[in-house]
Amino acid sequence: MAERYRRYEGGDPLAPPVDLAEALDAIGEEVMAGYSPERAMREFLRRGGRDQTGLDELARRVAERRRELLSRHDLDGTLEQVRELLDKAVLEERKQLARDVEMDDGDRAFREMQLDSLPPSPAAAVTELSSYEWSSREARETFEQIKDLLGREMLDQRFAGMKEALENATEADREGVRQMLADLNELLEKHRLGEDTPADFADFMAKHGDYFPENPQSIEELLDAMAQRAAAAQRMLNSMSPEQRAELMELSAQAFGSAELMDQLAQLDSHLQALRPGEDWGGSESFEGSDGLGLGDGTGVLQDLAELDRLGEQLSGSYAGSRLDDIDLEALTRQLGDQAAVDARALQRLEQALRDTGALERGSNGDLRLTPRAMRQLGRSLLRDVADRLSGRAGQRELRRAGAAGDLSGATRPWAFGDTEPWDVPRTITNAVIRTAGERPGPLRLTVDDIEVQETEARTQAAVALLVDTSFSMAMDGRWVPMKRTALALHTLIRTRFRGDALQLIGFGRYAEVMEIERLTALDAMWDKGTNLHHALLLANRFFRKHPNAQPVLLIVTDGEPTAHLEADGDVWFSYPPHPLTIARSVAELDNSRRLGAQTTFFRLGEDPGLARFIDSMADRVEGRVVAPELDDLGAAVVGSYLGDRSSARGRGASYGDSFGRGWWAG
């Protein structure tokens, strides 16, 4: 069997897989707040999770690394090295003149006068001393080091690592560089004219490949690598002061003691600028540090800065069609280290998992949306949160009865001490088989953890109408998302644990309408005046009449008095302050709910005294209840009231705040 290997990508090999549940919870929250799923996913990836570094943190570290490079370095490193070598050469020459007793006094005086009259500019002094006849061997060798340094720095600007590679180089080595530059310029000229062939590139690399550690596989890759570095070299020159730039240009003529090198490099730059005009040839940076950089090292830093800029753009995703796959992980490793690349790779996998596992899908208009599967998972998470809040109340106990007197619901759950429900044998055996799949063949043995029991449904069915205020005040006062969370939690509870119950979600603003959970959770806040409780009650009562054998449960979530009602012709009557006719129509329809046997609970949001008096009087009229929860407790209040109304129908009266702990219904 063939084995396949690949490079280890870093990180903890035993780390758990990406946490989709946390991501879906966060995305669902943003969607319910009005964000598109695409934007919600991007926001989560930017923030990161509990144990996951986000894009914003990586972008911050990229920006910090950029600031560090600019604040640490300066660009006068080569000029400082030239100045030091020049001072050393002149000092050695003066020593030789002082101790050479055989030298003619006139000659000695002339030489000393030449040294004394050297201009203060290092470039001008090097130019003037280029024709000086040195009497000191040490001084002459030191001066030649200046020419060698300049040549190596100039080459290092275009070819990374050339400065070190040509240290102590022989004349044959320098001739090899000149030949490489000549052949390279010839190849690029042919490419510019469209006359080159793959064989030309192959011949060039066979002859001069040692100068290119990047090992480009085509002339385009060669051009990309060289143009990026040459553009960085140009930006370095642009970043220097005019005086520094003039000094360097004058010194460059002394590189390797020959103007030929500079001519070849100038020709190379011309080719690269013509073939890669999209590179940043005109930019500059402001260095503020004291750590002097040579030409080659400075070019490398400018390349790093450009790479950091590209990483910042990739991490921000600010361009159209951006995806996390665009992030250059190798560049991120170079700039921030292995762990940063591991974090970015985890985010890439998370994004891909969200797209591949059925959590997000594209609708007919091409936009991303949450799938029903994702909605169910989000609902289960919200239901667990509701259960946690209910179980945290004083004097509450855990309720695990699943309607033992009723029919099998089709759902199962792990067995717990005290359960009397029948075993689900197929699921129990399947759990044992899965658990022992990797063990040696033998008799199948069950453990307590394998056992699942069958849940049963209560015989009493309920028809639940949840009326939620969708007027603009709900969004304006921060109640929009808690309202949606509440609806989704109740929807999940009934669809998964009380399948015999019927649920209808009704949103009421200027009009009222029946909504599917997917539409309600994605509903945007609209500036639409009116709180039409009358229309919502009409729809709820129609729903109750369709289920004559079920116990009606009416749950109303609102933050305002009725300000609109439906006329006989279907038009809406709006009035603020509330008109007596609107109040009368709303009260009349609430009375109809009472006659249908509805158990009514109002959930009042806000502290308006007028609203409190109105809702209290409405609840007293129909022997209903009023709950004024905090926003964070709204879901627990609605779910607790629903469970209490179901229990009350079986003769076990309970309501929100009574004994409903984190029961089996929470999953």
Side-chain angles (χ1 to χ4, degrees), residues 254-480:
Q254 304 297 323
F256 285 148
S258 169
E260 181 184 359
L261 174 65
M262 289 308 300
D263 292 341
Q264 290 176 321
L265 290 177
Q267 186 180 0
L268 175 61
D269 288 344
S270 177
H271 284 311
L272 293 174
Q273 291 189 34
L275 292 168
R276 289 293 185 270
E279 292 290 340
D280 183 8
W281 299 95
S284 63
E285 299 289 350
S286 178
F287 288 86
E288 302 172 349
S290 57
D291 185 3
L293 291 171
L295 297 182
D297 292 339
T299 299
V301 169
L302 266 295
Q303 274 192 291
D304 286 342
L305 292 172
E307 190 167 69
L308 289 167
D309 288 340
R310 288 192 295 272
L311 284 171
E313 185 177 1
Q314 293 162 6
L315 291 168
S316 68
S318 56
Y319 51 93
S322 64
R323 293 191 60 167
L324 292 191
D325 288 341
D326 299 340
I327 298 174
D328 187 339
L329 297 180
E330 292 184 0
L332 198 61
T333 300
R334 285 193 295 271
Q335 299 301 332
L336 300 183
D338 291 337
Q339 186 57 45
V342 170
D343 292 335
R345 190 177 295 110
L347 290 172
Q348 288 178 341
R349 290 171 177 165
L350 177 58
E351 181 189 41
Q352 194 61 44
L354 286 170
R355 298 179 188 274
D356 292 347
T357 58
L360 299 173
E361 64 181 5
R362 293 204 176 273
S364 58
N365 59 356
D367 293 337
L368 277 181
R369 64 187 182 191
L370 293 175
T371 63
R373 174 183 176 184
M375 293 295 295
R376 289 193 297 271
Q377 184 166 340
L378 178 59
R380 286 193 295 270
S381 175
L382 294 176
L383 195 55
R384 284 193 297 271
D385 179 64
V386 166
D388 286 339
R389 291 183 177 277
L390 284 173
S391 65
R393 302 186 180 280
Q396 296 165 356
R397 66 178 184 275
E398 186 166 345
L399 181 66
R400 301 191 59 89
R401 284 194 291 272
D407 300 323
L408 294 177
S409 68
T412 66
R413 58 179 171 80
W415 176 87
F417 179 77
D419 282 337
T420 59
E421 288 78 8
W423 285 20
D424 187 307
V425 177
R427 290 295 301 270
T428 299
I429 298 299
T430 300
N431 291 340
V433 170
I434 293 174
R435 177 178 53 80
T436 60
E439 300 178 4
R440 297 177 61 182
L444 186 65
R445 297 182 181 276
L446 299 180
T447 68
V448 171
D449 293 334
D450 297 326
I451 301 172
E452 292 204 21
V453 296
Q454 297 174 332
E455 292 180 350
T456 57
E457 283 218 45
R459 296 189 184 279
T460 301
Q461 290 185 330
V464 185
L466 175 62
L467 282 55
V468 290
D469 190 341
T470 57
S471 61
F472 191 74
S473 61
M474 290 284 287
M476 186 172 59
D477 294 332
R479 297 159 186 156
W480 198 249

Side-chain angles (χ1 to χ4, degrees), residues 354-603:
L354 286 170
R355 298 179 188 274
D356 292 347
T357 58
L360 299 173
E361 64 181 5
R362 293 204 176 273
S364 58
N365 59 356
D367 293 337
L368 277 181
R369 64 187 182 191
L370 293 175
T371 63
R373 174 183 176 184
M375 293 295 295
R376 289 193 297 271
Q377 184 166 340
L378 178 59
R380 286 193 295 270
S381 175
L382 294 176
L383 195 55
R384 284 193 297 271
D385 179 64
V386 166
D388 286 339
R389 291 183 177 277
L390 284 173
S391 65
R393 302 186 180 280
Q396 296 165 356
R397 66 178 184 275
E398 186 166 345
L399 181 66
R400 301 191 59 89
R401 284 194 291 272
D407 300 323
L408 294 177
S409 68
T412 66
R413 58 179 171 80
W415 176 87
F417 179 77
D419 282 337
T420 59
E421 288 78 8
W423 285 20
D424 187 307
V425 177
R427 290 295 301 270
T428 299
I429 298 299
T430 300
N431 291 340
V433 170
I434 293 174
R435 177 178 53 80
T436 60
E439 300 178 4
R440 297 177 61 182
L444 186 65
R445 297 182 181 276
L446 299 180
T447 68
V448 171
D449 293 334
D450 297 326
I451 301 172
E452 292 204 21
V453 296
Q454 297 174 332
E455 292 180 350
T456 57
E457 283 218 45
R459 296 189 184 279
T460 301
Q461 290 185 330
V464 185
L466 175 62
L467 282 55
V468 290
D469 190 341
T470 57
S471 61
F472 191 74
S473 61
M474 290 284 287
M476 186 172 59
D477 294 332
R479 297 159 186 156
W480 198 249
V481 173
M483 174 270 291
K484 292 181 177 182
R485 288 170 58 93
T486 298
L488 183 53
L490 183 62
H491 177 273
T492 302
L493 174 62
I494 292 177
R495 289 292 182 266
T496 59
R497 297 305 190 215
F498 295 101
R499 295 183 181 89
D501 288 357
L503 171 66
Q504 186 166 84
L505 302 174
I506 301 172
F508 62 98
R510 189 175 185 86
Y511 288 90
E513 59 179 316
V514 177
M515 294 183 179
E516 295 298 324
I517 188 62
E518 292 80 9
R519 178 155 184 268
L520 178 60
T521 52
L523 187 67
D524 287 333
M526 295 175 290
W527 178 256
D528 200 8
K529 295 180 180 179
T531 303
N532 199 333
L533 179 60
H534 169 245
H535 192 187
L537 289 169
L538 280 171
L539 295 176
N541 290 337
R542 181 188 302 173
F543 169 68
F544 293 149
R545 293 186 184 101
K546 289 181 180 179
H547 299 83
N549 297 322
Q551 167 62 52
V553 176
L554 180 62
L555 308 173
I556 304 172
V557 178
T558 185
D559 70 344
E561 300 173 70
T563 56
H565 68 269
L566 204 62
E567 294 282 81
D569 59 3
D571 289 339
V572 170
W573 172 296
F574 170 78
S575 175
Y576 185 84
H579 193 278
L581 182 59
T582 299
I583 300 297
R585 293 283 179 88
S586 301
V587 169
E589 205 56 43
L590 185 64
D591 288 343
N592 288 336
S593 300
R594 176 57 177 163
R595 281 190 286 272
L596 290 170
Q599 297 179 349
T600 304
T601 305
F602 287 90
F603 300 90

Side-chain angles (χ1 to χ4, degrees), residues 81-133:
Q81 285 183 279
V82 169
R83 189 176 289 110
E84 291 175 4
L85 289 172
L86 182 62
D87 291 343
K88 180 180 178 182
V90 170
L91 179 60
E92 291 297 331
E93 180 69 6
R94 290 185 185 279
K95 289 179 180 179
Q96 179 62 28
L97 293 177
R99 62 176 173 256
D100 190 350
V101 296
E102 297 180 358
M103 181 179 292
D104 179 74
D105 289 342
D107 186 24
R108 178 185 293 106
F110 178 73
R111 289 172 179 272
E112 289 177 345
M113 182 184 67
Q114 283 183 291
L115 297 178
D116 290 339
S117 60
L118 286 174
S121 166
V126 169
T127 300
E128 188 166 320
L129 290 173
S130 61
S131 58
Y132 179 81
E133 294 184 6

Side-chain angles (χ1 to χ4, degrees), residues 143-162:
F143 187 75
E144 291 298 323
Q145 289 179 26
I146 294 176
K147 299 179 181 180
D148 181 71
L149 171 67
L150 291 171
R152 290 187 292 119
E153 288 279 18
M154 292 294 175
L155 288 171
D156 203 41
Q157 279 194 301
R158 278 79 174 181
F159 306 92
M162 192 70 81

